[in-house]
Amino acid sequence: MTSLFFLVFLFSSLLTRNVDADPNYIDALSKSLLFFQGQRSGPLPTDQKISWRGNSGVNDGSLANVDLTGGYYTEGDNVKHNFPMAFTTTMLSWSTLEYGGQMGPELQNARVSIRWATDYLLKCATKTQGQLYVGVGDLSANHPCWERPEDMDTPRTVYSVSASNPGSDVAAETAAALAAASMVFREVDPQYSTSLLATSKIVMEFAMQHQGSHSDAPPPRFRTFYYSYSVYKDELMWGAAWLLKATDDLNYKNFIESLGGGEQTDIFNWNNKYSGAYVLLSQRALVNNDSNFEQYKQEAESFICKILPNTPSSSTSYTSGGLMYNYKLPDSNLQHVTAITFLLTTYANYMKATQHRFYCGNSDVIVPDVLIKVSKQQVDYILGENPAKMSYMVGYGPSFPMRIHHRGSSIPSQAHPNCTEGNQFLYTPNPNPNILTGAIVGGPDEKDEYLDKRDDYIHSEPATYINAPFVGTLAYFASGGSA
Ligand SMILES: *[C@@H]1O[C@H](CO)[C@@H](O)[C@H](O)[C@H]1NC(C)=O
Ligand SMILES: *[C@@H]1O[C@H](CO)[C@@H](O)[C@H](O)[C@H]1NC(C)=O
């Protein structure tokens, strides 16, 4: 009996434990989208699959006499930060526009995840004339409390921007999200798509006409980690680039040119979108062969040359295990990795459309597969091919983070601790009782090590903007995309 079991075990091990085998990208894609259900705010639908979550924030907006229910909690706390939420939505939409055809049955889940955000963003943009709501939940009161969203009892303060209190950063990102989503729904729900695009135009007009950063506004401004440090030109370029794509209205191109050029950067995240705008605009140069967009192709390639290892202008660090590592902004390092690999993969696909290739100074020729190879290596690292031999996506693979910095995941659903009582669940060494399937955490440190400690939010906290770009890249590899 024992030996028979052993033989069966050995045989199945031989079949499945092929060290060169790719990760299961289809499983990872499915989980990366399921994660968004765990971040939902508002009344939940009957087909909610992450069943340890319940209704929450059901009176959001009531302090301003408007309905602002819905949307997503950005990370492990219970505040709705529209700035990163809109970026999340833009990246989910871009993922779906580029790779929706390769998502199979997950395409519908991708649309649902986008719509959960855009239903909320539409409310934020249309409920009160002349105002854009930009967040719900008092950060300084909410953040110290370790409470589930279902039990939270701190003020659900409502924040907004307006002509006298501008916020071009959050407004242009909101416009980008609505414009990108309008293309996702163009065929499947034309009426919804039209409403998204019409609202996007109005919000973008507001961002362009009343320039300023919402972090510079007088109190009661939205006190949040997510503000754009008084810099919003990148969001203006990004928002206009998305509207140009959605409308083909060349006034948006003129506006982008009036901004007088962007910055050369080696990052792409919720706060810095120049490189994303360059790649998006370069699609016209490469795929549509429109020479008026040549300069953005140059900018995109200059960005990529900073990312790739071993080019003369490379400015990106890699750990000894092979992970891109941002020493300047090490908080949630994987946010940079998922966002940048999306740009690499997508630019490679634009290059393939016209068999384009380029050089980084005196480098070897850069063909699309050079980009895809780096992208695949990063994706595979996140899914378990790394020195710690663990996946950084919760619920994926045999070993994954068990103590993520996330209130809902770490507090048992039957417990209802108040603000301070919740700390026992923050500091316990026990694994989280609720599995937030699909959540990608901040990731390992610069030594490829991961301590799996709940209070180490820099490494153990998930966020919607880490997952969103990963959805597209996973769809590419899940459908057999390879280097
Ligand atoms: C791209 O446009 C140029 C003119 O701007 C033209 O010479 C060239 O043939 C076009 N290439 C393709 C593939 O259409
Ligand atoms: C939380 O409950 C404890 C008793 O378990 C109590 O001492 C404390 O005052 C409560 N805190 C709040 C903020 O309600």
Side-chain angles (χ1 to χ4, degrees), residues 289-291 354:
N289 193 30
D290 184 341
S291 58
T354 47

PDB file of all heavy atoms in Angstrom, residues 289-291 354, ligand 1:
ATOM      1  N   ASN A 289       1.354  54.399 -37.626  1.00  0.00           N
ATOM      2  CA  ASN A 289       2.337  55.004 -38.534  1.00  0.00           C
ATOM      3  C   ASN A 289       2.091  56.511 -38.706  1.00  0.00           C
ATOM      4  O   ASN A 289       2.151  57.041 -39.804  1.00  0.00           O
ATOM      5  CB  ASN A 289       2.294  54.303 -39.905  1.00  0.00           C
ATOM      6  CG  ASN A 289       3.491  54.668 -40.764  1.00  0.00           C
ATOM      7  OD1 ASN A 289       4.578  54.940 -40.256  1.00  0.00           O
ATOM      8  ND2 ASN A 289       3.303  54.696 -42.082  1.00  0.00           N
ATOM      9  N   ASP A 290       1.790  57.190 -37.594  1.00  0.00           N
ATOM     10  CA  ASP A 290       1.535  58.632 -37.655  1.00  0.00           C
ATOM     11  C   ASP A 290       2.788  59.367 -37.174  1.00  0.00           C
ATOM     12  O   ASP A 290       3.099  59.383 -35.984  1.00  0.00           O
ATOM     13  CB  ASP A 290       0.326  58.961 -36.764  1.00  0.00           C
ATOM     14  CG  ASP A 290      -0.064  60.429 -36.845  1.00  0.00           C
ATOM     15  OD1 ASP A 290       0.778  61.252 -37.282  1.00  0.00           O
ATOM     16  OD2 ASP A 290      -1.204  60.746 -36.460  1.00  0.00           O
ATOM     17  N   SER A 291       3.497  59.985 -38.112  1.00  0.00           N
ATOM     18  CA  SER A 291       4.811  60.569 -37.776  1.00  0.00           C
ATOM     19  C   SER A 291       4.682  61.776 -36.850  1.00  0.00           C
ATOM     20  O   SER A 291       5.667  62.215 -36.265  1.00  0.00           O
ATOM     21  CB  SER A 291       5.547  60.954 -39.050  1.00  0.00           C
ATOM     22  OG  SER A 291       4.756  61.865 -39.788  1.00  0.00           O
ATOM     23  N   THR A 354       4.770  46.589 -36.281  1.00  0.00           N
ATOM     24  CA  THR A 354       5.450  47.135 -37.468  1.00  0.00           C
ATOM     25  C   THR A 354       6.886  46.638 -37.573  1.00  0.00           C
ATOM     26  O   THR A 354       7.698  47.248 -38.259  1.00  0.00           O
ATOM     27  CB  THR A 354       5.458  48.672 -37.423  1.00  0.00           C
ATOM     28  OG1 THR A 354       5.869  49.087 -36.119  1.00  0.00           O
ATOM     29  CG2 THR A 354       4.091  49.235 -37.717  1.00  0.00           C
TER      30      THR A 354
HETATM   31  C1  LIG B   1       4.478  55.070 -42.893  1.00  0.00           C
HETATM   32  O1  LIG B   1       4.361  56.400 -43.316  1.00  0.00           O
HETATM   33  C2  LIG B   1       5.379  56.832 -44.188  1.00  0.00           C
HETATM   34  C3  LIG B   1       5.130  58.308 -44.520  1.00  0.00           C
HETATM   35  O2  LIG B   1       4.998  59.043 -43.339  1.00  0.00           O
HETATM   36  C4  LIG B   1       5.407  55.983 -45.446  1.00  0.00           C
HETATM   37  O3  LIG B   1       6.494  56.346 -46.243  1.00  0.00           O
HETATM   38  C5  LIG B   1       5.530  54.512 -45.068  1.00  0.00           C
HETATM   39  O4  LIG B   1       5.422  53.690 -46.210  1.00  0.00           O
HETATM   40  C6  LIG B   1       4.442  54.121 -44.065  1.00  0.00           C
HETATM   41  N1  LIG B   1       4.658  52.766 -43.602  1.00  0.00           N
HETATM   42  C7  LIG B   1       3.668  51.878 -43.491  1.00  0.00           C
HETATM   43  C8  LIG B   1       4.041  50.532 -43.007  1.00  0.00           C
HETATM   44  O5  LIG B   1       2.522  52.143 -43.784  1.00  0.00           O
END
